[in-house]
Amino acid sequence: MREPQKKTTAQEEKAAAATPEKEAAAGPAEEVTEQPPVDLEACKAKAEKIVEKYSKWSLATGLIPAPAIDLVALTAVQIKMASEICKAFEQSFSEHKLKSILVPLLGAALPQALTTGGVSSTVKAIPVYGTLVGLSTMPLLSAGASYAIGSAFISHFANGGTLLSLNVSSMTDAVKENVQKYKNKNKSDEDVSVADEETAKA
């Protein structure tokens, strides 16, 4: 037995006719492409070269004879370094945010900022003697600070962290450890140099 055909109302016919028109106006559906995962090892290798470069620049800021200006220059170098590290790890950042992080980290890397390091900078105000003492200590302190801070940023990002998840207190501890590593590294290099000199004289 044939089933009776259902009657369609004028409203249903209008809705059915409008559907293709809406689809045509919307255009083809956009294809969602997945972003490739970030290669953290490659980012880390790139960032390490950045730290090496800016550690040398920091060394140069310590050679500025004018007191306090050397610390201002060092901060500017570290902001530039941190921004490039963020770019290497494809992290979004702002200069204001980086500066707010770097100030306490610099205090951790240079506890001498109020004692030894601060003396290294301010002592430059003393004619002749102060300049010589400051220039003999500040370059190494500046380079060590940049190395320690840059390495802490790399470790944080390489472990999947972001600038938003960065904990300044935890980063401060990492910076202090990196300062000690930098000192040990320099001491080892000096021992090797001395040994080579003695071997050459023998």
Side-chain angles (χ1 to χ4, degrees):
M1 185 176 181
R2 183 181 297 177
E3 293 182 3
Q5 293 182 345
K6 293 182 179 179
K7 292 183 179 180
T8 58
T9 63
Q11 187 175 1
E12 288 175 339
E13 291 177 353
K14 186 177 180 181
T19 301
E21 293 178 2
K22 289 181 179 179
E23 292 178 351
E30 295 183 1
E31 293 184 3
V32 178
T33 56
E34 293 185 2
Q35 294 292 333
V38 177
D39 186 346
L40 293 178
E41 286 301 319
C43 293
K44 182 179 179 181
K46 184 178 180 180
E48 286 173 347
K49 291 181 180 179
I50 292 171
V51 171
E52 183 179 351
K53 177 178 72 173
Y54 282 101
S55 291
K56 293 176 182 177
W57 284 26
S58 299
L59 194 72
T61 64
L63 296 173
I64 298 175
I69 295 178
D70 53 357
L71 294 177
V72 173
L74 175 60
T75 302
V77 167
Q78 291 183 349
I79 290 175
K80 181 67 175 173
M81 175 186 70
S83 66
E84 289 195 16
I85 293 174
C86 288
K87 290 177 182 177
F89 281 95
E90 300 182 15
Q91 296 284 335
S92 58
F93 67 93
S94 70
E95 186 174 313
H96 175 74
K97 176 66 174 178
L98 289 178
K99 190 172 183 178
S100 67
I101 294 172
L102 286 169
V103 169
L105 293 185
L106 183 58
L110 288 178
Q112 299 92 342
L114 295 177
T115 55
T116 319
V119 170
S120 296
S121 179
T122 57
V123 77
K124 292 178 182 178
I126 304 174
V128 185
Y129 171 78
T131 301
L132 292 174
V133 172
L135 293 178
S136 67
T137 57
M138 197 62 190
L140 190 59
L141 290 172
S142 300
S146 291
Y147 169 85
I149 291 173
S151 297
F153 268 96
I154 291 175
S155 179
H156 176 70
F157 291 144
N159 288 319
T162 66
L163 204 60
L164 292 176
S165 67
L166 188 150
N167 183 289
V168 176
S169 179
S170 298
M171 186 78 98
T172 297
D173 294 335
V175 166
K176 290 177 180 179
E177 291 178 7
N178 290 336
V179 169
Q180 189 58 48
K181 288 179 182 178
Y182 184 80
K183 290 179 179 179
N184 294 338
K185 179 178 177 295
N186 281 339
K187 187 177 185 303
S188 297
D189 292 343
E190 288 176 2
D191 291 342
V192 170
S193 299
V194 171
D196 289 343
E197 289 178 4
E198 291 178 352
T199 302
K201 291 179 181 177

